[in-house]
Amino acid sequence: MYACICHAVHENEVRDCISAGAHTEEAIGEACDAGTSCGTCHERLVDMIESYFTSSVPAAA
């Protein structure tokens, strides 16, 4: 599914950018152009960043 319609950026590409260190909307935009046009996808990008960090945190023992 597209994360950013304006630039035809798929969610997998955004996830790859986040994994590579793009941890802000601005950094994602610099890496793959997502979120650099109309701004409709900004909330989705923030959700994807939060999801990455939530799922990457190991469970407490």
Side-chain angles (χ1 to χ4, degrees), residues 26-53:
E26 293 81 13
I28 291 170
E30 290 174 12
C32 67
D33 287 333
T36 62
S37 193
C38 77
T40 301
C41 63
H42 285 197
E43 186 174 333
R44 182 178 302 118
L45 299 178
V46 170
D47 289 345
M48 291 178 76
I49 294 166
E50 290 174 359
S51 176
Y52 172 80
F53 284 107

Side-chain angles (χ1 to χ4, degrees), residues 2-28:
Y2 285 113
C4 174
I5 300 293
C6 294
H7 293 285
V9 180
H10 288 270
E11 288 182 349
N12 288 339
E13 187 175 352
V14 173
R15 284 189 199 99
D16 290 344
C17 292
I18 295 169
S19 295
H23 298 157
T24 65
E25 295 166 71
E26 293 81 13
I28 291 170

